[in-house]
Amino acid sequence: TSLMINRYGPWMDTNMVIPTSPSTCTVVYDYFLEKETLQSLGEEADTFLSTSLAASDQVQQEDNMICQSVQVGLHSSAYDTGRYAPGVEMADHAFHQTLARQLREKLGQA
């Protein structure tokens, strides 16, 4: 199971990815809004909530379509494992380098 936490202004949402088989999963979305923000909206709260949740749902659906496309691509004959794609995955590569360095330091293997 993986847990992602996203914070956007007064909103926080969590995405819990639960494996259901070796090649499938279910994602559970939960949304949280700062109490003060909700109280300050007064009578407009319902409209704000429904509009915000609809926009979030659209983004989640778009993310799901991207993930499904990536999974299909990973199973294609054209896909080959290897190094990070230069110019596309530089941030991912930098993150993994930093994580590896910090783990080595914590383990005394720097």
Side-chain angles (χ1 to χ4, degrees):
T1 301
S2 296
L3 176 67
M4 293 163 271
I5 301 171
N6 304 298
R7 179 68 191 241
Y8 307 101
W11 282 98
M12 182 179 80
D13 67 65
T14 60
N15 306 347
M16 188 179 329
V17 181
I18 304 165
T20 54
S21 79
S23 61
T24 63
C25 66
T26 297
V27 182
V28 178
Y29 303 99
D30 283 310
Y31 299 89
F32 305 89
L33 180 61
E34 290 177 348
K35 188 177 187 177
E36 296 79 19
T37 301
L38 187 60
Q39 290 172 338
S40 70
L41 292 169
E43 294 180 13
E44 298 175 8
D46 287 343
T47 302
F48 174 78
L49 290 173
S50 62
T51 302
S52 297
L53 292 174
S56 180
D57 182 60
Q58 179 178 347
V59 171
Q60 302 294 358
Q61 288 180 38
E62 292 168 0
D63 287 349
N64 286 340
M65 290 185 336
I66 292 168
C67 290
Q68 289 170 357
S69 295
V70 167
Q71 292 303 313
V72 168
L74 290 174
H75 293 289
S76 76
S77 61
Y79 176 75
D80 186 21
T81 59
R83 297 181 179 265
Y84 293 93
V88 179
E89 298 177 312
M90 293 179 342
D92 297 16
H93 187 236
F95 170 79
H96 287 126
Q97 285 180 317
T98 301
L99 178 62
R101 179 182 46 77
Q102 290 176 349
L103 289 171
R104 282 192 302 272
E105 289 171 0
K106 291 290 183 187
L107 295 172
Q109 300 175 2

